[in-house]
Amino acid sequence: MTSEQRVVVIGGGLAGLRLAQRMSGPDAAVTVLGEETHVPYNRVLLAEVLAGRYAPEVTALPAPGPALRRGVRAVRIDRAERAVHCDDGSVERYDTLVLATGSNPVLPPLRGLFVPDGRELPEGVHPFRTMDDCLALSAAVGPGVRAVVIGGGLLGVSAARALAARGAQVVLAQQAERLMERQLDAAASALLHAHLTALGVEIHTECRVRGLSTTGPPGGSRRVTGAELADGYRLEADLVVLACGVRPRTGLAVAAGLDVRTGVVVDDRLRTSDPRVHAIGDCAEHAGRVYGLAGAALEQADALAAILTGRTPHGAPDAAPAAGVTAAPETAAHAGAGAAPDARPGGAAPYTGTRALTRLTLGGAGHRTLDLAAFGETTPLPGDDVVRLADATRRTYRQVVVRGDRLVGGVLLGELSSVGALARGWEGGEPLHDPADLFRLLTDDGGH
């Protein structure tokens, strides 16, 4: 890349800022368009801010200096002119464009969520995705406040724990049969269920919220008063948190005529259907998969920086910003490890996918914390071998799934000293020649 080439990145989150950081130097002219006005922050720590454990400024990310334009929203991409038009009237011209637009929270089709032809949420109803969402929830929650969290995945569990830590009366409604069903097996989910219950969270699984009840004058401001379940039961609520997942932000890509399925489709060089346009992070779909994980976003940013600059990648993504408190996935290994190098100057390897390790710490005043981790395929297929170690007294649980002679997944709760060895064994894909190999992995104490 020469200094005359201009790189414009749309999105000032983890992926966009990581890319700008990795591309800093005399051979790159990078501009990052960040829609939010806040100082760049680590989204994975928002639950800790909501719980009152961290001040917002603790979540700040290293700023890329003048490369970042805060509070500027891209509204149109002109691929013919190689230009990005912004909401403030400015135009950023590019030689290479990178979409790091992230994702939006899913707003479920609840009766009463919106009035006809309206898009304003009732007062007291909050998504939980941005710093503004977090600050609004923090201002509204307090001891005795009745809060209903809709969604029992990673985000919903984190939000419920945080609200309970602030003294709210929390009800968690999960449509699936168990909490965090994508990451945890039934036994691990049951332990998580018991832990949240001990924190004071009332949990309803296999429970669908069908609507919200509100109060307010016709045509005026509405306020939520409850959540109505499909079986007719009504939950009183002062706050409702929508934690129903996220959806890739692809509007700009669609309008620009790029190939979009669930996310913006990219190849192993993270190129879209226009070779001058790339996509990384939550908005990107690689090999049919949209990750929606912080670790994958960082790996994709590192891989793309190496591809664009021809420099050797910096290595594996940084560790979680604060050990033991992250409520977001982190990666087990660098993307493309072991892959054949791309035939280009600098030998930048293609992006071949991310193998992600999910970690979460849950705790509350007067209660023991619960650490959990999950990776790979945690639900066995017919013919798989399952090895499980459980200690009810210590509230620890470890299960791994073995397919043939390979470790394909695992879940751990309560004590994570062996997670590093297990994740390395899983990522490396080395055969388990002897049952003792698996026992060693399961009982590895991390060198302590």
Side-chain angles (χ1 to χ4, degrees):
M1 177 185 297
T2 66
S3 59
E4 288 77 25
Q5 288 188 298
R6 300 157 297 182
V7 178
V8 174
V9 182
I10 303 178
L14 280 173
L17 293 180
R18 177 64 160 243
L19 179 67
Q21 177 190 19
R22 292 299 194 233
M23 294 190 64
S24 62
D27 56 350
V30 183
T31 299
V32 180
L33 304 176
E35 186 172 329
E36 295 189 61
T37 58
H38 296 284
V39 171
Y41 59 91
N42 190 339
R43 197 182 308 277
V44 304
L45 296 177
L46 289 181
E48 303 305 320
V49 175
L50 179 57
R53 294 186 62 186
Y54 285 176
E57 52 268 25
V58 174
T59 70
L61 292 170
L68 174 63
R69 295 185 59 197
R70 285 161 50 188
V72 177
R73 182 169 61 89
V75 295
R76 184 169 65 88
I77 298 169
D78 188 328
R79 290 165 51 204
E81 296 293 330
R82 298 181 197 164
V84 178
H85 295 260
C86 304
D87 61 349
D88 63 355
S90 62
V91 177
E92 293 285 350
R93 301 193 178 275
Y94 66 85
D95 298 299
T96 297
L97 177 63
V98 181
L99 302 179
T101 49
S103 54
N104 284 326
V106 171
L107 301 182
L110 302 178
R111 186 175 61 199
L113 186 62
F114 298 112
V115 297
D117 301 321
R119 296 303 296 171
E120 290 294 324
L121 293 173
E123 187 178 347
V125 177
H126 301 266
F128 186 40
R129 182 66 180 160
T130 67
M131 180 63 77
D132 283 337
D133 296 335
C134 181
L135 295 178
L137 268 171
S138 294
V141 72
V145 168
R146 298 167 299 182
V148 174
V149 177
I150 303 176
L154 182 65
L155 186 61
V157 165
S158 300
R161 186 270 300 183
L163 293 170
R166 296 284 300 274
Q169 300 174 19
V170 184
V171 177
L172 176 59
Q174 163 71 324
Q175 187 166 337
E177 66 179 8
R178 65 177 188 265
L179 299 176
M180 291 183 63
E181 78 281 2
R182 293 185 180 180
Q183 294 88 8
L184 304 182
D185 66 356
S189 184
L191 289 173
L192 174 61
H193 190 293
H195 179 78
L196 287 175
T197 300
L199 297 180
V201 179
E202 180 183 330
I203 301 170
H204 297 266
T205 55
E206 297 183 275
C207 168
R208 184 173 64 86
V209 178
R210 68 178 181 186
L212 301 178
S213 53
T214 60
T215 185
S221 177
R222 299 177 301 143
R223 178 167 188 84
V224 69
T225 58
E228 301 168 359
L229 306 183
D231 61 5
Y233 189 74
R234 183 178 183 275
L235 299 170
E236 300 289 334
D238 305 304
L239 292 177
V240 171
V241 179
L242 305 176
C244 305
V246 295
R247 181 178 293 115
R249 293 184 66 179
T250 60
L252 283 172
V254 170
L258 299 174
D259 186 8
V260 174
R261 295 171 195 161
T262 300
V264 184
V265 177
V266 297
D267 62 12
D268 288 353
R269 291 170 61 80
L270 296 164
R271 294 175 300 194
T272 69
S273 52
D274 180 338
R276 291 187 176 273
V277 182
H278 298 72
I280 57 176
D282 288 5
C283 70
E285 178 178 335
H286 176 265
R289 182 173 181 184
V290 176
Y291 287 94
L293 304 173
L298 295 175
E299 288 197 3
Q300 290 171 4
D302 287 350
L304 182 57
I307 288 168
L308 294 179
T309 64
R311 302 186 203 134
T312 302
H314 286 64
D318 296 338
V325 298
T326 181
E330 42 185 56
T331 55
H334 179 67
D342 191 4
R344 62 169 276 113
Y351 174 74
T352 58
T354 293
R355 308 194 82 183
L357 169 69
T358 299
R359 299 187 67 160
L360 178 65
T361 291
L362 297 170
H367 293 273
R368 181 179 171 185
T369 61
L370 178 68
D371 295 311
L372 66 85
F375 59 91
E377 300 179 46
T378 59
T379 301
L381 298 176
D384 288 346
D385 293 318
V386 177
V387 180
R388 183 179 298 119
L389 300 178
D391 186 332
T393 302
R394 298 176 60 195
R395 295 198 306 164
T396 62
Y397 175 86
R398 300 176 185 181
Q399 174 182 289
V400 293
V401 179
V402 179
R403 185 167 301 148
D405 61 356
R406 298 295 199 279
L407 179 64
V408 298
V411 57
L412 300 87
L413 275 86
E415 213 294 305
L416 304 186
S417 61
S418 63
V419 69
L422 285 167
R424 287 190 296 272
W426 161 67
E427 193 281 329
E430 297 297 325
L432 300 168
H433 297 292
D434 189 291
D437 293 341
L438 183 58
F439 183 77
R440 175 182 54 79
L441 290 173
L442 272 171
T443 58
D444 186 280
D445 66 356
H448 300 295

